[in-house]
């Protein structure tokens, strides 16, 4: 086990060099005189920072989007409120169409276990869509009652 008396002389030389470097930095930056600088002193930095240049030029830094796609062509003309008389999935616009889709899914033949699981998942999705549509109808109905009364 090394003890302080068994260390080679290189450690002491490194310590002396580091101490000398610290003393040179203190002299260069005049750190001994730092306490004489008044607290009200203001340092003017004339070099513009990147954020200041962005503000001057009107550039708004934006993070990279996680998805990039163009909106549908008819998006600007659509004024659809989530509380208007609409359905969750516009393709299934009425209950008759939902039932035909469920019937179509029921008639679909499955060749593998994986297809059977997918069929069950799609069936669950259709049931959930039907439930959300009923909730949406309930909320819209209550809003109509509230607006009338």
């Amino acid at each position: 086990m090394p003890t302080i008396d068994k260390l080679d002389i290189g450690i002491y030389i490194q310590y002396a060099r580091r101490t000398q470097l610290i003393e040179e930095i203190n002299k260069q930056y005049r750190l001994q005189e730092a306490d004489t600088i008044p607290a009200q002193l203001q340092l003017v930095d004339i070099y513009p920072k990147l954020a200041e240049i962005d503000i001057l030029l009107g550039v708004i830094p934006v993070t990279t989007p996680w998805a990039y796609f163009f909106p549908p062509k008819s998006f600007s003309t659509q004024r659809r409120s989530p509380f208007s008389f609409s359905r969750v999935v516009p393709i299934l616009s009425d209950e008759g169409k939902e039932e035909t889709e469920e019937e179509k899914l029921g008639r679909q033949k499955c060749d593998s276990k994986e297809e059977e699981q997918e069929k069950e998942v799609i069936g669950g999705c259709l049931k959930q869509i039907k439930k959300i549509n009923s909730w949406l109808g309930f909320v819209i109905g209550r809003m109509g009652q509230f607006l009338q009364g």
Side-chain angles (χ1 to χ4, degrees):
M1 178 171 172
T3 56
I4 198 161
D5 61 328
K6 293 182 183 174
L7 290 176
D8 63 355
I9 194 134
I11 299 292
Y12 299 108
I13 294 172
Q14 288 177 4
Y15 177 76
R17 284 186 187 152
R18 289 182 186 137
T19 306
Q20 185 181 11
L21 286 172
I22 290 173
E23 288 174 0
E24 287 177 13
I25 289 172
N26 286 343
K27 281 182 188 175
Q28 184 179 4
Y29 290 122
R30 298 179 185 174
L31 292 179
Q32 290 82 9
E33 300 168 14
D35 58 346
T36 62
I37 299 172
Q40 296 83 13
L41 187 70
Q42 182 179 12
L43 182 64
V44 178
D45 186 8
I46 61 170
Y47 295 106
K49 305 289 184 272
L50 191 59
E52 294 169 350
I53 293 173
D54 288 345
I55 291 170
L56 264 174
L57 297 176
V59 177
I60 300 170
V62 178
T63 58
T64 307
W66 60 271
Y68 182 74
F69 54 89
F70 293 107
K73 293 185 190 232
S74 63
F75 183 75
S76 60
T77 60
Q78 289 178 348
R79 298 284 182 233
R80 192 176 137 203
S81 167
F83 298 109
S84 65
F85 295 95
S86 63
R87 319 262 311 153
V88 174
V89 181
I91 296 170
L92 304 171
S93 58
D94 56 354
E95 290 183 21
K97 202 163 192 178
E98 283 180 7
E99 290 173 8
T100 57
E101 291 295 324
E102 287 177 1
E103 289 172 9
K104 233 194 269 186
L105 182 67
R107 283 181 279 159
Q108 189 70 30
K109 293 183 182 178
C110 300
D111 297 333
S112 67
K113 194 172 190 175
E114 184 180 345
E115 287 180 359
E116 186 67 37
Q117 289 175 344
E118 290 173 358
K119 183 178 172 181
E120 290 175 11
V121 169
I122 292 172
C125 286
L126 288 174
K127 286 179 186 174
Q128 191 65 33
I129 288 171
K130 191 183 253 184
K131 189 186 294 185
I132 292 172
N133 282 337
S134 69
W135 291 345
L136 188 59
F138 177 78
V139 169
I140 291 170
R142 293 301 167 264
M143 282 180 56
Q145 285 179 348
F146 176 75
L147 292 174
Q148 285 176 356

